[in-house]
Amino acid sequence: MKILVVGNGGREHALAWKLGQSKRVDQVFVAPGNAGTATDAENVAIPSDNIAGLIDFAKKNVVGLTVVGPEAPLALGLVDAMEREGLRVFGPRQNAAQLESSKVFCKDTLRKASVPTAEYHVFRDAESAVQFIRDRYPHEDQRAPVVVKADGLAAGKGVIVCGTQQEAIEAIHVLTGEFGEAAKRLVIEERLEGQEASVLAITDGQTILTLPAAQDHKPALDGDRGPNTGGMGAYTPTPLVTEDMMDWIHEHVLVPTVHAMKRDRTPFSGVLYAGLMVTHKGPKVLEYNVRFGDPECQPILMRLKSDLLDILEATVDRRLGEIEPPEWDPRSAVCVVMASEGYPGAYRKGHPIRGLVDADQLEDVKVFHAGTRLDENGQVLTDGGRVLGVTALGNTISAAKLQAYKAVKCIRWQGAWCRKDISDKALLPSNS
Ligand code: AMP
Ligand code: GLY
């Protein structure tokens, strides 16, 4: 079978790499891909939002399954369009993808389904949002533990966590100023305290298959300081989410959400990714994503022993309940993101990357590419903010971490940097 993976990040490299291992897969295409997918698969120069182009390619090349990586094409309705053409495609339809593309839709679904989440209010303009904050927190420097969110997709920049009244009001102005359409509605919610975990599940709308829980590292700097990023590293499994907690999340978060989506005639099929805050009152949903997490996908797929194609096909065919549960490598996996100088702010592209082969040759290491491209001589160049996801397996989280950083040491380019503490959260006292 021929597979088409849509996207160009580390997640898509991991998906293409894993699908390429299936005995039933003859060829994996990635649109548009990066330098890593050019090696492990075959790139096709179609941007992930070119729906007509992707459909045309899938038809002409007799693609048996398309797997959509990022949220943007899902929110644009790529799955609906492909299904209309009789093509098989993994991912939620546009109306179900609203769980990620609209925070208001997500919060309303959670409320209807009685899934634990932060208290929230929805506003249609900045004035009423500001008024709400002033009414509730009358003094400028008063503590105001709230989070202000733009309703729509804002490339991870639409959420501002606030501490004071002033910060909250500024956040409202920043979001409405910066994200016109995406911030037409605002959500203001209670700020939760705790540790964050990512619980991803694959569902066909009926059966829910949870994947091992992971933890991302969103802030740029060690110790979770500095500006927010797309994710500077991830590891799995995490001791934060015990087996009991996973059962609880299945029963009280995932099942009611999938049921609510079905009842509301927006049945969900694909990856349901719950971003959770583990509070002292138990886990609460911060957000849903409707696709694999990046970078969580990389360490999770490193541990998957079963054929990913079997799982994705069973999802598309609505027979996920009929397949054997997947087999997982009992070892831990840690993924360290190497980034460009300046990221998450402005950065330069086009630096040659050295040492990739040495890193990849280390035992139990896989270097997933994110923002990279090949030049005409076959040299790998930096081409984005998050450049590589250096991923390693180990008998313990510490061993996996050690191996991942050993691989990181092999790799060099001008201005390359990474966090040094990926997976240390696993060792926090609250985690043991
Ligand atoms: P979201 O895109 O909704 O996941 O928000 C991005 C990040 O903002 C999350 O990963 C959290 O770190 C933070 N965040 C979102 N909602 C809340 C909340 N209610 N309380 C505390 N932090 C939050
Ligand atoms: N790891 C965060 C995300 O994929 O949105």
Side-chain angles (χ1 to χ4, degrees), residues 284-304:
K284 294 189 179 189
V285 175
L286 291 176
E287 62 161 351
Y288 270 124
N289 294 319
V290 297
R291 34 114 192 136
F292 283 101
D294 190 341
E296 292 94 324
C297 182
Q298 292 84 314
I300 290 175
L301 291 188
M302 273 291 267
R303 294 187 52 218
L304 179 64

Side-chain angles (χ1 to χ4, degrees), residues 358-372:
D358 292 341
D360 251 330
Q361 272 168 0
L362 292 175
E363 205 175 341
D364 296 323
V365 167
K366 175 71 191 170
V367 179
F368 294 113
H369 290 224
T372 66

Side-chain angles (χ1 to χ4, degrees), residues 103 147 149 159 189-192 196 218 286-287:
K103 303 260 185 224
V147 182
K149 300 184 173 185
V159 173
E189 64 180 39
E190 152 205 21
R191 175 173 167 178
L192 301 173
E196 287 180 47
K218 286 261 181 79
L286 291 176
E287 62 161 351

